[in-house]
Amino acid sequence: MFRDLSEFYAWFSERNKNNQYEVHRMPLEDMDGWQVAEDTGDIAHRSGKFFSVRGVAVSTDHRDTTDWTQPIIVQPEIGILGIIVRVVDGAVHCLMQAKMEPGNINLLQLSPTVQATRSNYTRVHQGSPVPYLEHFAAPRPGGAVFDTLQSEQGSWFLNKRNRNMIVEVAEDIPVHDDFCWLSFDQVTVLLKVPNLVNMDSRTVLSGIPFFFSGSYGDRVRLAAGSGVPGGALHSVEHLLSWFTEIKSRYSLSRAPVPLRDVPGWTRSGGVISRADGKHFTVIGVDVRASNREVGRWSQPLLEPTGRGVIAFIGRFIRGAFHILVHARTEAGTNDVVEMAPSVSCIPSNYDGLPPAQRPRYLDVVESAQDQDILVDVVHSEEGGRFFHAENRYLVIDAGDGFGLDAPDDYCWMTVDQLTGFVRYGNHVNVAARCLLSCLIGEPAALAAASS
Amino acid sequence: MFRDLSEFYAWFSERNKNNQYEVHRMPLEDMDGWQVAEDTGDIAHRSGKFFSVRGVAVSTDHRDTTDWTQPIIVQPEIGILGIIVRVVDGAVHCLMQAKMEPGNINLLQLSPTVQATRSNYTRVHQGSPVPYLEHFAAPRPGGAVFDTLQSEQGSWFLNKRNRNMIVEVAEDIPVHDDFCWLSFDQVTVLLKVPNLVNMDSRTVLSGIPFFFSGSYGDRVRLAAGSGVPGGALHSVEHLLSWFTEIKSRYSLSRAPVPLRDVPGWTRSGGVISRADGKHFTVIGVDVRASNREVGRWSQPLLEPTGRGVIAFIGRFIRGAFHILVHARTEAGTNDVVEMAPSVSCIPSNYDGLPPAQRPRYLDVVESAQDQDILVDVVHSEEGGRFFHAENRYLVIDAGDGFGLDAPDDYCWMTVDQLTGFVRYGNHVNVAARCLLSCLIGEPAALAAASS
């Protein structure tokens, strides 16, 4: 364990030096182990495992555009994202891993204790066993604090889910190379550092409040707890009814389309991209790493064409900080909608469009003054699937002047209420969960803003 | 409102006299408005609405039989099952409807205030408007107490969901013919009467505890409340982890099959049935009714070949009554498993088989002594889709001699814990929800059994 964060940074930079990583772009057609199907153009691993890139036709009455076709990642397997926690001297500590992913900014980021696809842990690629996996497979020695199936990016993944787990161990366990214990307070500080705590860690950490509020609550110090004083504008019954109403009112259907027949997208120069430069490009990479299960491999990645904005617009209501949650439909959403941030988009996709055609509330985010910004940090999305996919995560206090009226598919709730829905899976989307994790250490900021 | 139940019975028998119903069997081929597709044999309404009967091939590693093919009802629309409640003199009252369904035992049963398919309320059949529907469509005058999407019988429906709603009104509202106010205490008594409170009412009533425990709790008398004293064996975190583990470990896939190609099932004599007489038969009926949106129609129904058993095995642990919940996979289950009763089967399907091939725990239910039976009532399943589909609903106190060890896909939880999962939808299956509704008025019985 680190006495302070300078010790952590020394360790982390040592990890960088001790391991060699090289990532080079390569044409999709030349990737070792992957093939492009002659009839469809779909890209899949020769083993049939891992994931594939296919085309999907989307039809919905819950987006401005009602019908579109796009490439999408298909990965029906449920992977495990798991963090081991241990209470030492009354403080929660998390076992984190310094892990390279080819799409990561800085290559090395902090990942959960275990980050394994089913292909990984059933050892399809004949690589090394996954360390600590035994703590996440039943029967296991520790107790599950949080264990739920959660969706990932619906714009890029079709119905993708991973199992998010936090498991508590009572005894000390060996710490392997590339792993370290970080106190919960240290983690909350590192969540403010750009491109350091990876997406898989952030989504799992959105479940850490259950460690404090659940049956474990009486045993641990509520360090930087998630409690927000005051009453909520709406009851939980009202919030669930709002969510059910939107699910019942709207529809979302998807049908497979051969990747080579997706209009507006063309394969040229070894990548698949759009003529208008929007959304993302499908690229191939060649990877060499000294500390991964397999030392060298190729794979496709999705490269977004601009930095995204993921933001909650909030304000104090009855003394409690509320956030404006959006019931959002994306191409890959499993059940029509999930609860999402107030704003999530890549602003450059809307360059040159009149204000009415830009994403709702983006102007509120872009015009926010420094003193009204509670969270502002750039994080990367999963570097095993996305190349340099950065989002600016923001929480804005829009102030009492921001009206409480909102369109039907937005609803005000407290941070605690949204966190409560994280427990049940497929309620809160990955962008909102990652943004919640950035708020975990922020009660002081919220309280200061209210005074 | 009725001063006592004899007033209710007088009103109910008057409803029976004032309305004429006739239901006759007719060949599937001759049903007005329905057609049997020439190429597939599938049965569908000519409008493309309502529902269809198709074939499905099921593959799973979570049943004794891993692959089978069967007829199944396909009805992708989300209907509304809704009860209006009103607090009068501190007591909750429910607005119930005396409603005929062609498959009902006794034809007339007590249904929710609104029981409408999307075809109903969008008036596909050009019938009368659905009374009280305005209370369930947003924006609505009352407050939602309970509002969630819930599954129906997975053995007979593919991925079917209905929206279960309880809405509270503050003011008195007009009571139309065939409708009546019943106090919550009266409802709990009627839930003990065979074939009276229909399935749609029972599944909605499984959400009534949220009226008492939620934000409304301080305003109403906890009449026959759901609270069970004592501690639970497992934390909610543990229960959710158990459920997630089973979902992640097992698989369920379904593929459409032409109804005429389902092995073991044949169309003959105007019905579709099995040569071995097991499971169910698909029949056609001709219906005349004086008080339905449409006065005369034909439709297919599924007729089970025997009475089912739906039972919780329970026992007191640490002073709290616990039930043994099964994570169960059925042909039509949306996401691999849902939480189900300890036993759910049609026993006659297993006649003549050796004990090892009979459903687990059925022997415990069948050998229970009278004094150990807390609930024992025969109810019908949805009479709009199933013909005389009766189940014997049982809750057994198996006593301290019944061991706590259970197979991996069973887990002990309190009645309150299982009820808590009802709130989030697609956690608790319809059999378990209906059984929970029979327990709502039973704290006295549970307490008596513990002493």
Side-chain angles (χ1 to χ4, degrees), chain A residues 120-399:
Chain A
N120 274 143
Y121 62 75
T122 56
R123 301 184 58 192
V124 171
H125 49 31
Q126 306 296 317
S128 324
V130 177
Y132 303 107
L133 188 59
E134 68 277 14
H135 289 276
F136 298 93
R140 55 181 167 261
V145 176
F146 176 62
D147 185 357
T148 179
L149 298 176
Q150 298 284 10
S151 62
E152 301 214 340
Q153 287 81 1
S155 299
W156 301 330
F157 275 121
L158 184 66
N159 296 348
K160 170 75 182 132
R161 295 194 298 181
N162 274 324
R163 186 172 176 187
N164 285 222
M165 300 181 77
I166 299 175
V167 168
E168 187 194 17
V169 296
E171 305 296 325
D172 203 4
I173 52 176
V175 177
H176 302 306
D177 282 354
D178 297 324
F179 290 82
C180 70
W181 287 108
L182 284 167
S183 74
F184 177 68
D185 287 347
Q186 289 169 336
V187 169
T188 62
V189 173
L190 295 179
L191 277 163
K192 309 288 175 299
V193 176
N195 295 309
L196 177 59
V197 181
N198 81 357
M199 186 205 87
D200 307 275
S201 298
R202 298 194 309 274
T203 169
V204 176
L205 287 168
S206 71
I208 198 93
F210 301 109
F211 191 80
F212 297 108
S213 65
S215 4
Y216 299 83
D218 52 346
R219 292 196 298 104
V220 294
R221 181 170 59 91
L222 186 55
S226 67
V228 174
L233 180 62
H234 298 299
S235 66
V236 173
E237 293 88 348
H238 176 92
L239 301 180
L240 284 167
S241 182
W242 163 76
F243 192 51
T244 302
E245 169 76 25
I246 301 283
K247 278 197 185 196
S248 306
R249 189 188 301 173
Y250 297 104
S251 67
L252 170 67
S253 63
R254 287 78 52 93
V257 168
L259 186 55
R260 70 165 84 259
D261 296 341
V262 176
W265 298 76
T266 51
R267 184 196 307 267
S268 168
V271 304
I272 298 173
S273 61
R274 287 175 60 96
D276 63 9
K278 288 185 177 175
H279 303 303
F280 59 83
T281 300
V282 186
I283 66 169
V285 291
D286 176 60
V287 189
R288 294 178 198 221
S290 64
N291 70 336
R292 285 288 298 255
E293 300 91 345
V294 173
R296 180 173 185 174
W297 73 92
S298 313
Q299 69 167 89
L301 290 172
L302 265 53
E303 180 182 20
T305 55
R307 178 186 282 183
V309 168
I310 289 177
F312 278 133
I313 293 170
R315 56 162 285 187
F316 283 85
I317 307 172
R318 301 179 184 175
F321 190 70
H322 282 66
I323 48 182
L324 189 57
V325 175
H326 181 204
R328 183 176 171 89
T329 299
E330 293 174 333
T333 306
N334 181 56
D335 192 18
V336 189
V337 290
E338 290 193 0
M339 298 182 195
S342 326
V343 176
S344 35
C345 66
I346 298 178
S348 62
N349 285 339
Y350 303 88
D351 282 350
L353 291 178
Q357 291 176 40
R358 306 195 75 215
R360 191 187 295 269
Y361 301 125
L362 180 57
D363 59 326
V364 178
V365 174
E366 290 181 335
S367 63
Q369 303 296 306
D370 281 357
Q371 69 271 20
D372 299 327
I373 299 178
L374 306 181
V375 169
D376 185 359
V377 58
V378 171
H379 283 305
S380 307
E381 304 312 306
E382 164 55 34
R385 298 292 173 270
F386 311 117
F387 188 78
H388 292 195
E390 285 185 310
N391 281 297
R392 186 176 170 199
Y393 285 81
L394 290 148
V395 179
I396 309 288
D397 181 359

Side-chain angles (χ1 to χ4, degrees), chain A residues 118 138 140 144-145 147-149 161 163 210 214-215 235-237 240-241 244-245 247-248 335 423-424 427, chain B residues 118 138 140 144-145 147-149 161 163 210 214-215 235-237 240-241 244-245 248 335 423-424 427:
Chain A
R118 183 172 276 264
R140 55 181 167 261
V145 176
D147 185 357
T148 179
L149 298 176
R161 295 194 298 181
R163 186 172 176 187
F210 301 109
S215 4
S235 66
V236 173
E237 293 88 348
L240 284 167
S241 182
T244 302
E245 169 76 25
K247 278 197 185 196
S248 306
D335 192 18
R423 195 179 203 177
Y424 293 92
H427 279 68
Chain B
R118 181 172 278 264
R140 57 184 164 258
V145 176
D147 185 357
T148 179
L149 297 176
R161 295 195 299 181
R163 185 173 177 185
F210 300 109
S215 6
S235 66
V236 173
E237 294 88 349
L240 284 168
S241 182
T244 303
E245 171 75 25
S248 306
D335 192 19
R423 194 179 204 178
Y424 293 92
H427 280 68

Side-chain angles (χ1 to χ4, degrees), chain B residues 38-168:
Chain B
E38 284 198 17
D39 49 345
T40 60
D42 293 353
I43 303 168
H45 196 259
R46 287 183 203 281
S47 68
K49 302 285 181 177
F50 301 109
F51 63 93
S52 57
V53 183
R54 302 169 184 275
V56 66
V58 184
S59 180
T60 179
D61 51 5
H62 195 227
R63 295 281 294 216
D64 290 340
T65 304
T66 57
D67 297 272
W68 74 92
T69 310
Q70 66 166 79
I72 201 158
I73 299 176
V74 178
Q75 186 177 10
E77 297 178 344
I78 296 174
I80 289 179
L81 308 178
I83 295 179
I84 294 178
V85 297
R86 182 166 172 246
V87 178
V88 180
D89 296 336
V92 176
H93 286 70
C94 302
L95 187 62
M96 306 299 287
Q97 180 182 9
K99 182 166 187 173
M100 191 284 295
E101 293 286 359
N104 278 352
I105 308 265
N106 307 327
L107 287 177
L108 204 65
Q109 294 195 5
L110 272 181
S111 89
T113 319
V114 163
Q115 176 182 326
T117 62
R118 181 172 278 264
S119 300
N120 275 143
Y121 62 76
T122 57
R123 303 185 55 192
V124 170
H125 49 31
Q126 306 295 318
S128 324
V130 176
Y132 303 107
L133 188 60
E134 68 276 15
H135 289 275
F136 298 93
R140 57 184 164 258
V145 176
F146 176 61
D147 185 357
T148 179
L149 297 176
Q150 298 285 11
S151 62
E152 301 212 343
Q153 287 80 359
S155 298
W156 300 331
F157 275 122
L158 184 65
N159 295 347
K160 171 75 182 132
R161 295 195 299 181
N162 273 325
R163 185 173 177 185
N164 284 224
M165 299 180 77
I166 299 176
V167 168
E168 187 195 16

Side-chain angles (χ1 to χ4, degrees), chain A residues 411-451:
Chain A
C411 191
W412 291 101
M413 55 184 86
T414 66
V415 174
D416 274 4
Q417 286 177 326
L418 185 62
T419 299
F421 296 128
V422 169
R423 195 179 203 177
Y424 293 92
N426 282 117
H427 279 68
V428 182
N429 83 355
V430 65
R433 297 196 310 276
C434 286
L435 202 40
L436 278 175
S437 73
C438 297
L439 272 170
I440 289 172
E442 285 301 315
L446 298 185
S450 80
S451 63

Side-chain angles (χ1 to χ4, degrees), chain B residues 273-286:
Chain B
S273 62
R274 288 175 60 96
D276 64 9
K278 290 186 176 175
H279 304 301
F280 59 84
T281 300
V282 186
I283 66 170
V285 292
D286 176 59

Side-chain angles (χ1 to χ4, degrees), chain B residues 1 9 15 82 120 134 158 165 193 222 225 230-232 264 326 360 376 384 414 432 439 445:
Chain B
M1 296 180 186
Y9 281 114
R15 289 300 93 205
N120 275 143
E134 68 276 15
L158 184 65
M165 299 180 77
V193 176
L222 186 55
H326 180 203
R360 191 186 294 271
D376 185 359
T414 66
L439 273 171

Side-chain angles (χ1 to χ4, degrees), chain B residues 92-380:
Chain B
V92 176
H93 286 70
C94 302
L95 187 62
M96 306 299 287
Q97 180 182 9
K99 182 166 187 173
M100 191 284 295
E101 293 286 359
N104 278 352
I105 308 265
N106 307 327
L107 287 177
L108 204 65
Q109 294 195 5
L110 272 181
S111 89
T113 319
V114 163
Q115 176 182 326
T117 62
R118 181 172 278 264
S119 300
N120 275 143
Y121 62 76
T122 57
R123 303 185 55 192
V124 170
H125 49 31
Q126 306 295 318
S128 324
V130 176
Y132 303 107
L133 188 60
E134 68 276 15
H135 289 275
F136 298 93
R140 57 184 164 258
V145 176
F146 176 61
D147 185 357
T148 179
L149 297 176
Q150 298 285 11
S151 62
E152 301 212 343
Q153 287 80 359
S155 298
W156 300 331
F157 275 122
L158 184 65
N159 295 347
K160 171 75 182 132
R161 295 195 299 181
N162 273 325
R163 185 173 177 185
N164 284 224
M165 299 180 77
I166 299 176
V167 168
E168 187 195 16
V169 295
E171 306 295 326
D172 203 5
I173 53 176
V175 176
H176 302 305
D177 283 354
D178 297 324
F179 290 80
C180 70
W181 286 108
L182 284 167
S183 75
F184 178 69
D185 287 348
Q186 290 169 337
V187 170
T188 62
V189 174
L190 295 179
L191 277 164
K192 310 289 174 298
V193 176
N195 295 309
L196 177 59
V197 181
N198 81 355
M199 186 205 88
D200 307 275
S201 299
R202 299 195 308 276
T203 169
V204 176
L205 287 168
S206 71
I208 198 94
F210 300 109
F211 190 80
F212 297 108
S213 65
S215 6
Y216 300 82
D218 51 346
R219 292 196 297 105
V220 294
R221 180 171 59 92
L222 186 55
S226 67
V228 173
L233 180 61
H234 298 300
S235 66
V236 173
E237 294 88 349
H238 176 92
L239 301 179
L240 284 168
S241 182
W242 163 77
F243 192 52
T244 303
E245 171 75 25
I246 301 283
K247 279 198 185 194
S248 306
R249 189 188 302 173
Y250 297 105
S251 66
L252 169 67
S253 62
R254 286 79 53 92
V257 168
L259 185 55
R260 69 166 85 258
D261 297 341
V262 176
W265 298 74
T266 51
R267 184 197 307 268
S268 168
V271 304
I272 298 174
S273 62
R274 288 175 60 96
D276 64 9
K278 290 186 176 175
H279 304 301
F280 59 84
T281 300
V282 186
I283 66 170
V285 292
D286 176 59
V287 188
R288 294 175 198 224
S290 65
N291 71 337
R292 284 289 298 255
E293 299 91 345
V294 173
R296 180 172 185 176
W297 74 93
S298 314
Q299 68 168 90
L301 290 172
L302 264 54
E303 179 182 21
T305 55
R307 179 187 282 183
V309 168
I310 288 176
F312 279 133
I313 294 170
R315 56 161 287 189
F316 284 84
I317 306 172
R318 301 180 184 175
F321 191 70
H322 283 65
I323 47 182
L324 190 57
V325 175
H326 180 203
R328 183 174 170 89
T329 299
E330 293 174 334
T333 306
N334 180 58
D335 192 19
V336 189
V337 291
E338 290 193 0
M339 299 181 194
S342 325
V343 176
S344 34
C345 65
I346 297 177
S348 62
N349 283 339
Y350 304 89
D351 281 350
L353 290 179
Q357 290 176 41
R358 304 195 76 217
R360 191 186 294 271
Y361 300 125
L362 179 58
D363 59 326
V364 178
V365 174
E366 291 181 336
S367 63
Q369 304 296 307
D370 281 357
Q371 69 272 21
D372 299 327
I373 299 178
L374 306 181
V375 168
D376 185 359
V377 58
V378 171
H379 283 304
S380 307

